[in-house]
Amino acid sequence: RLNVSEADVRITFDSLGGVRRESQRSAYERDVVLAVYAVAAFGVVSEHTSQGLRLAYFMTPWGEAALEMMTLSMNMSSYWTLTAFIVCSAFLYAPEPFEWHRVVMLLAMYALMLWPWQSIALLLHGVVSGPPAEGTSFSQAVIQGVYGDPRTLIEHRYFLIVLLAAYCLFAAGRRSSVAPHVQCLVAAAFTVFWIPNGWYNWKNPAPFLVPWVNLYPVHGVHMWGFWLTVYLVTGHYGRRVLAAIRTHRLAQHERLQRLLPRVSAILLVCFLAPFFLTAPPFFAAYDRQEYQDWHHWAITAEFSSMTHQASRMNRILDMACSLVLVGLLFFAVQVALRPLGWLGGFSLGTFCAHRSFLTVTTCGPPTKTGRWESNQCLSFGVRIAGVQILPPLQTMIERTAGYTGVQLLLFACYVLATIVCVGVPVHFVLLRTISALQRLVRLIPPGFPRFRGAPPEASSSSEGEQALLDAGCRDSI
């Protein structure tokens, strides 16, 4: 809805636990952002869930392509679901003053995902269900057979560094005398320059910090530059564009507002379909005996390589398309705003911990080729006191071989089960941790440097509001 009233005020929470007062319009915008977070988190969990599976033995080529479409982002693409995270973060935090507690929290979560979270996850695995005979996530010997390096399971924490860098650089840019459009153009030029150069010649600038801090640019330097560019553009011009849309005469038509979310949802699917409908012929024509031994992540990487997804023009087109997809998503989520907004409230815990409680199972015959591939797969399942409540996803896909529709439905249900069973509890723990760290951040002396931005009272919180947070309110991402 583009003409929501500014009247009425309600108390909500930001993604790092900060309490704020918001008008009805701002609250509605936040609900839309939460819904976008939910879809983006579903895509991220789907992608990482599919990577540990072995599907060629048990699923048709069309089924594999449809499952890949459910991840929303093709392997080695511009990963538009992560771009949606960047847009949402910039839209929420760019108008506000620089807050040190956000910097502290992002750094703390980055470090905690390495230690002690891995040890805690292994301990909980054994205490709650007892380790299955073939292993669990973070068991190095087993995971090495699937990914080659156990740290792959926490590799996605690099995105917290991307968010932190974008947040700090935007705050510094807003304080500088350089015009906003110049900042955006410089970031865009940096992105285009690095597209053909890739990341293969990029050396980690701080190898002595590994494994605590790994500055190796996952997905490429150009993608980090692209996300920074998107953050700058959204931060500087996002609110202006939204205000211009609201004042447009078409925004006053109720019928158009009812149709726009539905049309956007249809267009979103139409944009996604061509990227994935080209995969089944590849799966069918390629020597299946050669790639049957591979995990899904290796097959999709091979497909992206053979279709030249990494070329300069394809990269630029893919980045432009990702912006269109994010724009359509902001309208499409309003079709089911309430349930998606509720689910998006747990995106932070989901993103950080969704790969922490996975089960290793034997899938198919032993591998004949490949450096990392094996006949071991990694997927989500639930065991309590040694009783199997929810069999691992890989096991269910094998049992339903030949029923592609059932397999796809199972995949979607397991992704949602991961969000509910892992993301929700971890999110509550993170909120408690955030609340404790915020109290520590308040001890920073008043004269500590502060960047200019929106008036401080826009994000301030009273002691009574903080009590609401301590009482366990959940409305944050």
Side-chain angles (χ1 to χ4, degrees), residues 108 163 217 245 253 372 374:
L163 288 173
I245 293 175
H253 291 270
W372 290 343
S374 70

Side-chain angles (χ1 to χ4, degrees), residues 223-235:
M223 283 308 307
W224 288 41
F226 172 66
W227 286 324
L228 174 59
T229 304
V230 171
Y231 196 101
L232 291 175
V233 172
T234 306

Side-chain angles (χ1 to χ4, degrees), residues 361-392:
T361 56
T362 301
C363 48
T367 181
K368 295 188 290 289
T369 60
R371 180 162 60 98
W372 290 343
E373 290 70 39
S374 70
N375 64 331
Q376 293 176 320
C377 295
L378 197 63
S379 58
F380 181 70
V382 178
R383 281 162 48 99
I384 299 178
V387 179
Q388 193 76 62
I389 306 300
L390 189 66

Side-chain angles (χ1 to χ4, degrees), residues 192-385:
V192 174
F193 170 79
W194 274 102
I195 288 177
N197 294 285
W199 62 91
Y200 304 105
N201 296 324
W202 179 278
K203 295 182 179 179
N204 190 336
F208 57 91
L209 295 177
V210 176
W212 287 102
V213 177
N214 189 357
L215 298 180
Y216 181 80
V218 180
H219 301 316
V221 180
H222 60 283
M223 283 308 307
W224 288 41
F226 172 66
W227 286 324
L228 174 59
T229 304
V230 171
Y231 196 101
L232 291 175
V233 172
T234 306
H236 286 305
Y237 302 107
R239 296 280 178 174
R240 300 182 193 178
V241 172
L242 181 60
I245 293 175
R246 280 207 189 98
T247 57
H248 197 278
R249 58 185 180 86
L250 292 178
Q252 309 306 318
H253 291 270
E254 292 292 337
R255 184 178 180 184
L256 177 63
Q257 293 190 35
R258 289 195 300 269
L259 288 176
L260 189 59
R262 298 184 180 91
V263 173
S264 299
I266 295 173
L267 289 176
L268 184 63
V269 175
C270 292
F271 263 100
L272 287 173
F275 288 93
F276 302 97
L277 294 181
T278 55
F282 165 81
F283 292 152
Y286 204 65
D287 184 6
R288 292 186 65 84
Q289 292 302 318
E290 181 176 345
Y291 74 77
Q292 270 187 337
D293 296 321
W294 296 2
H295 290 93
H296 188 67
W297 68 268
I299 297 176
T300 54
E302 180 73 11
F303 170 74
S304 298
S305 176
M306 294 190 66
T307 52
H308 307 291
Q309 297 293 323
S311 66
R312 178 197 286 262
M313 186 53 62
N314 281 342
R315 287 287 193 189
I316 295 175
L317 290 176
D318 195 31
M319 290 175 180
C321 184
S322 69
L323 298 178
V324 175
L325 293 173
V326 172
L328 289 174
L329 181 60
F330 268 88
F331 289 105
V333 294
Q334 298 178 59
V335 174
L337 188 58
R338 181 168 295 181
L340 287 177
W342 178 86
L343 197 64
F346 306 106
S347 296
L348 181 63
T350 299
F351 181 84
C352 292
H354 66 275
R355 305 175 88 173
S356 299
F357 299 97
L358 304 177
T359 299
V360 177
T361 56
T362 301
C363 48
T367 181
K368 295 188 290 289
T369 60
R371 180 162 60 98
W372 290 343
E373 290 70 39
S374 70
N375 64 331
Q376 293 176 320
C377 295
L378 197 63
S379 58
F380 181 70
V382 178
R383 281 162 48 99
I384 299 178

